[in-house]
Amino acid sequence: MEKLRDKRSAPLGPSAGPQGTQLFSANELGQLAVEAGPVSSGRASVRQPVLQGTHGLMAGRRFSVRAGRQTIGRRDDSDIVINEPSVSATHAWVMNQQGHYVVMNTLSTNGTFVNNERVHEAVIKHGDLIRFGQAEFVFLTRESRRAGTVHAAWVIGAAALIGLCAFAAWHYLG
């Protein structure tokens, strides 16, 4: 944490919590997110779910969730590293328990939230919003349909219906 203090002004508040989590301004959090390391670009599936950032500089960033237990935190040796000061060094675990994914808070200072409810442990499913400190993600087990794909399906369906109506009118009137 000393390395972070050398790079910017002092944090907004004193060190807090057993893991030394500190409070920072939104601008400082944004700068840290820019400096964060590489992220997964994998597609979401039931076998390979992803946590995808929902806003700010984390928006669109994806972290693959593997089977078994993974640690989520600020430490470099975490399975999913979220380089953001509001995230504790060892913030939470994500576990696959008999095909169900569970998130468990591990005494983090700023808490773990599922759909805006603070949790100690919760089963998570596709579309749930999960927040570790100020870092918010959506849990995805499948890719959503793209708007263009849905739009194209409607256009094709409408064209087929118009063609069918035109054929019926020609057949009965002709």
Side-chain angles (χ1 to χ4, degrees):
M1 199 62 181
E2 293 303 317
K3 193 161 114 181
L4 291 175
R5 288 184 197 197
D6 293 340
K7 286 185 167 184
R8 76 182 121 271
S9 62
L12 294 176
S15 291
Q19 297 179 15
T21 304
Q22 296 183 350
L23 300 175
F24 290 87
S25 72
N27 290 338
E28 290 170 323
L29 291 175
Q31 181 60 36
L32 288 170
V34 169
E35 297 170 3
V39 181
S40 170
S41 61
R43 293 184 52 82
S45 71
V46 172
R47 292 181 190 226
Q48 188 75 49
V50 298
L51 289 171
Q52 179 174 305
T54 61
H55 67 278
L57 296 171
M58 296 301 285
R61 297 186 71 194
R62 287 183 162 207
F63 297 91
S64 294
V65 179
R66 297 185 318 269
R69 184 182 82 183
Q70 288 180 273
T71 57
I72 297 173
R74 205 177 58 244
R75 288 178 43 168
D76 289 338
D77 63 347
S78 294
D79 296 307
I80 297 175
V81 177
I82 302 174
N83 191 12
E84 190 170 296
S86 67
V87 174
S88 295
T90 307
H91 197 101
W93 291 339
V94 173
M95 300 166 286
N96 182 350
Q97 295 181 340
Q98 300 174 356
H100 295 92
Y101 281 88
V102 175
V103 64
M104 179 184 284
N105 188 55
T106 55
L107 300 176
S108 69
T109 302
N110 293 317
T112 299
F113 298 79
V114 175
N115 297 324
N116 294 318
E117 263 187 58
R118 190 177 191 127
V119 299
H120 170 68
E121 182 177 327
V123 174
I124 54 176
K125 61 189 180 320
H126 177 79
D128 281 346
L129 292 177
I130 303 167
R131 185 165 42 94
F132 308 102
Q134 295 298 314
E136 186 177 76
F137 298 86
V138 62
F139 182 70
L140 300 174
T141 58
R142 62 185 177 270
E143 293 296 324
S144 60
R145 278 193 183 191
R146 295 194 174 149
T149 304
V150 173
H151 180 70
W154 277 102
V155 169
I156 291 170
L161 184 60
I162 291 170
L164 183 60
C165 290
F167 175 76
W170 173 79
H171 180 69
Y172 289 112
L173 297 176

